[in-house]
Amino acid sequence: MKTLAIAALVALSSLATFNTHAQTAAPAAVAKNDALYQALGGKPGLQALMDVFVAGLKADKRIGEQFKDTKSSFLASQLVDQVCMVTGGPCKYDGADMKTAHADMGITRANFNALVEVLQVSMDARNIPFSTQNQLLALLAPMHRDIVTAK
């Protein structure tokens, strides 16, 4: 199993789903150039990926309930902006920082891992190369510290 990928995906999903509760951002490390952003297909590629990802989150039996009241288009848009920014793209993510957004949600490591798995499946469905997936997950993985708050 892609352990690093799982951690990063969970962070990403959790971020996008629950960021409606805050106003300021403090995302993961930002890429120093836009090579990863370009490898993911720029903004159109990210939008396509996040559309698949959000649909997968909502359909997932393990964590779908957490996303049932989240507007899919809003969540996807927030995720696109965040991933665009952290991968060196021109977007500005203005959602909540992860710690604030997830403080009272009781997200477990199992929840986080399920989210990452959905992201991996989504990237596979979009034919994103494994090395590109790993680069993205490596940027997103540190978010788990602020997202996982329950055992």
Side-chain angles (χ1 to χ4, degrees):
M1 178 178 254
K2 304 171 191 172
T3 306
L4 178 59
I6 291 175
L9 286 178
V10 174
L12 177 63
S13 298
S14 299
L15 163 72
T17 301
F18 302 110
N19 67 7
T20 62
H21 302 291
Q23 299 288 333
T24 60
V30 177
K32 298 196 184 333
N33 63 50
D34 74 346
L36 181 54
Y37 171 74
Q38 295 300 329
L40 291 165
K43 195 159 184 180
L46 290 176
Q47 186 65 59
L49 172 60
M50 293 310 151
D51 288 346
V52 171
F53 179 51
V54 170
L57 288 174
K58 288 188 163 233
D60 191 88
K61 293 177 183 170
R62 299 164 295 176
I63 58 174
E65 184 69 19
Q66 293 175 312
F67 297 92
K68 72 175 183 168
D69 296 328
T70 303
K71 186 175 177 184
S72 296
S73 61
F74 176 77
L75 177 57
S77 175
Q78 289 288 295
L79 288 169
V80 167
D81 285 346
Q82 184 179 34
V83 173
C84 173
M85 188 175 87
V86 300
T87 60
C91 307
K92 181 180 182 337
Y93 170 74
D94 62 2
D97 69 83
M98 296 303 93
K99 189 168 195 123
T100 301
H102 300 91
D104 298 322
M105 295 186 175
I107 296 172
T108 66
R109 182 156 307 279
N111 297 144
F112 186 84
N113 290 345
L115 183 136
V116 172
E117 288 176 23
V118 173
L119 180 55
Q120 288 175 293
V121 167
S122 301
M123 289 191 288
D124 286 342
R126 296 286 309 145
N127 296 313
I128 295 172
F130 184 69
S131 62
T132 302
Q133 291 184 30
N134 282 340
Q135 290 174 51
L136 176 59
L137 294 173
L139 282 175
L140 300 174
M143 291 182 195
H144 84 278
R145 293 181 203 110
D146 291 335
I147 293 170
V148 175
T149 58
K151 293 190 181 212

